Amino acid sequence: MEAVATDFGMDKALKELGIKDINEGTSTGSDWFGNGENIKSHSPVDGQLIGRVKTTTQEDYEKVMAAATSAFKTWRTMPAPQRGEIVRQFGEKLREKKEALGKLVSYEMGKSYQEGLGEVQEMIDICDFAVGLSRQLHGLTMHSERPGHRMYEQYHPLGVVGIISAFNFPVAVWSWNTALAWVCGDVCVWKPSEKAPLCGVACQNIAAEVFKANNLPEGISCLINGDYKVGEMMTKDTRVPLVSATGSTRMGKIVAKEVAGRLGKTLLELGGNNAIIVTPDADIKMTVIGAVFGAVGTCGQRCTSTRRLIIHESVYNEVKNAVVDAYKQLRIGNPLDENNHVGPLIDKDAVKMYETALEQVVEEGGNLVVDGGVLSGEGYESGCYVKPAIAEAKPHYKIVQHETFAPVLYLLKYSGNVENAIEIQNNVAQGLSSAIMTNNLREAERFLSVAGSDCGIANVNIGTSGAEIGGAFGGEKETGGGRESGSDAWKIYMRRQTNTINYTTDLPLAQGIKFDL
């Protein structure tokens, strides 16, 4: 990889992350190689070329898989708490390099510097979680129906875990998978987004430093780079029992079909069309904070971004006016400047989708109460900066049913009781994150009940955006059904085995069957 001089102190950050010394974009650890075409990484912040990474060829991929499968034989036999110690050291390295990595995330992806630091903190948090988990990979003991027998179940690592991540969280989502997979005894092959490849290089360097210091084999952490064709190498590979894919629903359906065709396992975290329900008993100030951050954070490019605000007619105008007033205070610009709230979209293709969405909502009969538009002039030279927009719309509009990965918020009005609002919320194809703003206990419990939100995440009096490491993260319907991070999400990275031990001198058969010889 070739690094190019940049502003904003990026030269120092790149050097600290070891990027200037890297020549290619494929890695089995500290060994770098590659024979494919160049991927150019341009920053959406200022349009400057940050660096180039070589794509992974089929020959390169075979070298990666050879290293990974070999490393698995050693890594799986190490006691889980010892694997946890390695993950702990990785978390410590992340603490040391948090500022540099956070700055790279901000500059390459375009999110605010504080969000970049927050993403690295998520990596640190999942390492802490995984360290504790390494001593809690519990199975169960069951009573056998046969005398003198003991039954129990245990979990074993799967092998090579393939990870395909998206540009919007270029490092955190990888770590959610990797930290858990590592303590479970798996090795990982990661294909980061081709829109943020340098973040992957940086993380691989940090991980390789830890594994090398502990005299562990190459291949426990591997990196491949490229577009969907490189991803297909993993999805078609029977040596990869689990593929964890984060991205669009369209991509997820392709991955699911390919992996299912070889009876592999998938962990899918796909699109979201997230809503906040605002009832007459809502705290308006809290509602505005949650809705605005949810809609404009990461420039609307989170899978949990707030897309729809479903407001009761009795408070509709009050909420609308408060949110519109809040938008007037937003500062849009260089995300490395901590005075700004909103940075750029990832690229000009994203800008086109944003513009198309605004055109479509008007064509369908919607009303823009906060106009959008692409910003130009000094500070906006990349062409990726847009104004967060708000549109009054109807729930059935096609564009409202669609996930637009941009800062476009739709205001929807409901009447009657909270059941009507829940029906509107659930009547989309996606099922990731949801929230209700209310001080009414009955409304809150109704929202969380079996007949309430159909999403994987349902919040009361907080927004849709953001999640804690301790809980499982993911959603239903076209969101894919996968779960990452906390709770018992670790089980997807392992295979379950039931064991029966006979400690007698007889061989009784189950269900009392007689088979005497």
Side-chain angles (χ1 to χ4, degrees), residues 11-85:
D11 282 343
K12 180 180 177 182
L14 292 172
K15 185 175 182 180
E16 184 176 346
L17 296 169
I19 288 182
K20 282 194 171 183
D21 298 327
I22 304 303
N23 297 315
E24 309 296 347
T26 304
S27 174
T28 57
S30 57
D31 181 24
W32 289 88
F33 50 93
N35 296 289
E37 301 297 322
N38 280 328
I39 295 176
K40 293 182 179 180
S41 178
H42 288 90
S43 171
V45 174
D46 55 10
Q48 295 298 309
L49 177 67
I50 313 172
R52 300 178 181 88
V53 174
K54 288 280 190 181
T55 57
T56 299
T57 65
Q58 186 67 51
E59 181 182 357
D60 298 333
Y61 177 77
E62 289 302 322
K63 187 174 180 180
V64 164
M65 287 303 300
T69 52
S70 176
F72 174 61
K73 295 176 182 178
T74 299
W75 184 241
R76 67 183 177 183
T77 62
M78 181 181 291
Q82 291 184 24
R83 297 193 296 258
E85 165 59 19

Side-chain angles (χ1 to χ4, degrees), residues 32-250:
W32 289 88
F33 50 93
N35 296 289
E37 301 297 322
N38 280 328
I39 295 176
K40 293 182 179 180
S41 178
H42 288 90
S43 171
V45 174
D46 55 10
Q48 295 298 309
L49 177 67
I50 313 172
R52 300 178 181 88
V53 174
K54 288 280 190 181
T55 57
T56 299
T57 65
Q58 186 67 51
E59 181 182 357
D60 298 333
Y61 177 77
E62 289 302 322
K63 187 174 180 180
V64 164
M65 287 303 300
T69 52
S70 176
F72 174 61
K73 295 176 182 178
T74 299
W75 184 241
R76 67 183 177 183
T77 62
M78 181 181 291
Q82 291 184 24
R83 297 193 296 258
E85 165 59 19
I86 303 302
V87 174
R88 185 196 68 78
Q89 292 178 32
F90 178 63
E92 289 302 308
K93 283 293 180 183
L94 290 172
R95 285 179 169 88
E96 294 174 13
K97 300 180 185 292
K98 179 178 178 180
E99 182 177 339
L101 185 55
K103 186 169 288 187
L104 176 59
V105 168
S106 178
Y107 189 60
E108 187 173 35
M109 184 269 150
K111 64 177 58 178
S112 74
Y113 180 48
Q114 287 302 314
E115 288 183 271
L117 293 175
E119 186 168 344
V120 181
Q121 186 60 50
E122 285 190 27
M123 301 176 75
I124 295 167
D125 292 343
I126 196 63
C127 286
D128 289 348
F129 180 90
V131 172
L133 178 65
S134 68
R135 295 180 181 272
Q136 301 180 72
L137 301 174
H138 302 309
L140 296 173
T141 299
M142 291 79 72
H143 290 282
S144 173
E145 65 185 38
R146 290 167 287 185
H149 286 60
R150 180 166 69 88
M151 291 180 63
Y152 69 95
E153 65 179 21
Q154 59 181 330
Y155 290 84
H156 297 300
L158 287 172
V160 179
V161 172
I163 303 167
I164 301 172
S165 63
F167 73 86
N168 59 332
F169 280 86
V171 295
V173 172
W174 167 73
S175 70
W176 291 359
N177 287 274
T178 300
L180 299 192
W182 280 344
V183 297
C184 289
D186 299 312
V187 298
C188 298
V189 177
W190 177 26
K191 191 199 88 64
S193 169
E194 61 269 31
K195 296 182 180 183
L198 303 189
C199 286
V201 171
C203 291
Q204 180 70 357
N205 281 338
I206 297 170
E209 187 177 342
V210 173
F211 287 112
K212 185 175 182 179
N214 287 274
N215 296 313
L216 289 167
E218 297 270 309
I220 297 172
S221 178
C222 296
L223 188 75
I224 57 178
N225 265 297
D227 60 13
Y228 72 94
K229 295 178 183 178
V230 174
E232 285 179 347
M233 296 177 189
M234 286 198 297
T235 59
K236 295 179 179 180
D237 193 342
T238 57
R239 295 168 295 181
V240 184
L242 170 66
V243 175
S244 174
T246 302
S248 69
T249 297
R250 181 193 62 80

